[in-house]
Amino acid sequence: MTGGPGWPQGPGGSWPPPAPQRPPRRWLLIAIPAVALVVAAAAVFIATRGTGDDRPKSSAAQPTTTAGPPPPPAVSMRVLPALLLPPDGAAHTIRATLLVGAAGPPDADKEWEKDKVFTTLTATPPIADQDCIGLSAPAEQSAYDGTGFEDLARQTLATPAGDKTYIQAVIGYADARDAANYVAGAKDAWQRCTNRTVDFSPADNPDAGQVFDVGELTDTDGIVTVSRTSSSGDGWTCLHAKAPRNNIVIDIQTCGHNMAPTVIPALIDEINDRIEASHQ
């Protein structure tokens, strides 16, 4: 009797079904290494091709930075008098035939000695517009007291006829930053006195007539300059400038009739040449 559907078949039928035939072991032994070889070859190909850029990454040029020259050493306080321009050189620059030590009355103090270089600040008596006293003259005491300067040299020169004057001063600080900071502060103080009338008459003599029209402040190449012209209308003009150069503040003023502004950078450059030469 043969079993119906769902029933096990008896002897001679197809139950149980024949076991599946296993592939020959020799084929597996050959196939597995072959696949591994293909995978390894593909990995080598990808590694050598990369992204398609055959240039070695390590050879790419890298940006380089070049350090600038070190700052010059600070100027010694011992050489300050030698930084001032000689009278004949200054005379040539301001277009004067001759500059000599400014002449005072016979009973004047020793500051009026010919061509003398002083190492003290200028003690200007109080003026009518005291807030602008720093504009009155180079190396003015109230403009430098408490600023940390170490030493100075200054000189007052004039033509024999008195139609041109030149005051020069060099004020030494510990380093270039201190000198620059001083000039920045002086610039702010001067700015408050520009574009207005300022009375430089002594406070105890308000009728002295030292009234000036102060012009605009300029700052070119680190040279801070203010001009002032006499309100009397005679054309008497003073140019006052300060400039930090290394650890030195150059503080100069030249006055005369219709003084040309171009003399200021020329004078500053000539003094700066002497500052730079002091390192050589």
Side-chain angles (χ1 to χ4, degrees):
M1 176 176 178
T2 303
W7 289 90
Q9 297 183 8
S14 59
W15 182 266
Q21 298 294 320
R22 296 181 179 178
R25 293 177 179 272
R26 185 171 54 188
W27 182 88
L28 291 174
L29 294 175
I30 296 173
I32 291 174
V35 172
L37 182 61
V38 171
V39 172
V44 171
F45 175 79
I46 292 172
T48 56
R49 290 282 298 190
T51 59
D53 187 356
D54 295 333
R55 293 174 297 178
K57 299 299 182 185
S58 60
S59 65
Q62 298 296 323
T64 58
T65 57
T66 303
V75 176
S76 169
M77 299 299 104
R78 295 191 304 270
V79 305
L80 291 182
L83 303 181
L84 300 176
L85 299 182
D88 57 346
H92 175 77
T93 302
I94 70 170
R95 300 178 183 178
T97 55
L98 180 66
L99 286 176
V100 297
D107 58 348
D109 60 26
K110 293 182 178 180
E111 182 165 337
W112 296 97
E113 292 176 0
K114 183 178 180 180
D115 299 344
K116 185 174 177 63
V117 173
F118 295 89
T119 57
T120 57
L121 294 169
T122 301
T124 305
I127 63 174
D129 288 329
Q130 184 65 17
D131 58 325
C132 296
I133 194 169
L135 276 175
S136 62
E140 205 287 317
Q141 185 168 359
S142 65
Y144 285 93
D145 274 348
T147 65
F149 78 94
E150 296 186 351
D151 208 348
L152 69 109
R154 65 178 173 86
Q155 186 180 46
T156 300
L157 303 171
T159 60
D163 60 334
K164 287 185 178 180
T165 65
Y166 172 59
I167 305 173
Q168 56 180 344
V170 285
I171 295 88
Y173 285 82
D175 54 39
R177 182 173 60 180
D178 286 350
N181 286 342
Y182 168 77
V183 173
K187 176 182 176 181
D188 291 341
W190 282 8
Q191 190 71 65
R192 295 190 290 269
C193 298
T194 58
N195 297 313
R196 68 183 179 97
T197 299
V198 176
D199 190 351
F200 291 93
S201 302
D204 59 359
N205 185 16
D207 296 327
Q210 299 296 316
V211 181
F212 284 79
D213 297 321
V214 179
E216 293 184 356
L217 180 147
T218 63
D219 186 349
T220 305
D221 296 330
I223 304 173
V224 178
T225 307
V226 171
S227 66
R228 66 179 190 268
T229 302
S230 175
S231 299
S232 66
D234 62 358
W236 183 262
T237 300
C238 293
L239 303 171
H240 192 172
K242 296 178 190 277
R245 294 295 185 264
N246 197 338
N247 61 312
I248 304 298
V249 171
I250 303 172
D251 192 350
I252 60 173
Q253 177 176 281
T254 182
C255 300
H257 292 285
N258 305 309
M259 184 65 65
T262 53
V263 302
I264 289 295
L267 291 166
I268 294 289
D269 287 348
E270 290 173 20
I271 295 176
N272 186 52
D273 288 344
R274 300 171 81 86
I275 291 173
E276 293 181 348
S278 69
H279 300 304
Q280 300 174 1

